[in-house]
Amino acid sequence: MIRFIVVFNAPAFCLNLARRPDRRLQAWRRFRLERLEVVRVEAPDAAGVDEARGWRNKGARACAAGHRLAWRAARKRGTEAVLVFEDDVVLCRGFRQRLEELDLPEDWKMVYLGCTFRDVPEPVSPGLVRVRGRTWATHA
């Protein structure tokens, strides 16, 4: 197992629509309370997307494109891990501490900090499960 604190120095990004400065302010208040340094990534707006191109809808396509932008920004920094938030994030009390105490399996690739499971997840350690199937409403 790897303590998440080992990779916690990873950059954190938050996707935010230019037309939603209210969400940005609210999210950054939450980040400050948890002592998280987060960089804003301007999220692609579904209003500017011509077609869904295989996605459920234009909003889902724009959201996925925003996550890819954050991942690319992390890759440019040369980091092995990244935290990506959306601007409607709700953090639990003690989020940072809980994150720092998280034990990850050696073969971890991605950690969803919140989601709805389609298949029953497999417990890996206290507070951590492995999901092999699909999830809905991934969020952090």
Side-chain angles (χ1 to χ4, degrees):
M1 297 294 235
I2 299 171
R3 289 293 281 216
F4 192 84
I5 194 164
V6 172
V7 295
F8 191 74
N9 291 328
F13 298 98
C14 182
L15 303 171
N16 171 250
L17 291 167
R19 63 181 164 88
R20 293 306 304 262
D22 57 318
R23 281 189 169 189
R24 180 180 183 188
L25 292 172
Q26 190 173 41
W28 263 259
R29 269 190 229 114
R30 292 174 175 150
F31 296 143
R32 276 192 302 277
L33 287 173
E34 290 296 324
R35 300 178 342 267
L36 295 171
E37 291 184 33
V38 181
V39 175
R40 178 181 179 268
V41 172
E42 186 169 340
D45 197 324
V49 175
D50 293 334
E51 58 185 80
R53 288 194 188 166
W55 291 91
R56 181 179 64 238
N57 55 46
K58 293 178 185 181
R61 181 176 174 209
C63 184
H67 282 265
R68 284 193 307 271
L69 289 172
W71 299 336
R72 287 180 187 143
R75 188 176 357 160
K76 284 181 183 178
R77 291 181 179 211
T79 62
E80 292 186 29
V82 62
L83 290 169
V84 180
F85 299 100
E86 294 178 11
D87 62 7
D88 59 351
V89 64
V90 176
L91 301 172
C92 64
R93 281 200 181 113
F95 173 81
R96 182 185 177 112
Q97 181 179 347
R98 290 176 75 177
L99 193 62
E100 289 173 344
E101 293 172 355
L102 184 63
D103 286 323
L104 299 173
E106 296 287 334
D107 63 346
W108 79 281
K109 298 290 183 209
M110 183 176 290
V111 177
Y112 286 108
L113 302 175
C115 60
T116 303
F117 308 112
R118 173 184 254 179
D119 301 317
V120 177
E122 163 195 343
V124 176
S125 68
L128 182 67
V129 295
R130 181 183 312 254
V131 179
R132 299 208 184 268
R134 294 183 176 182
T135 62
W136 291 287
T138 58
H139 57 279

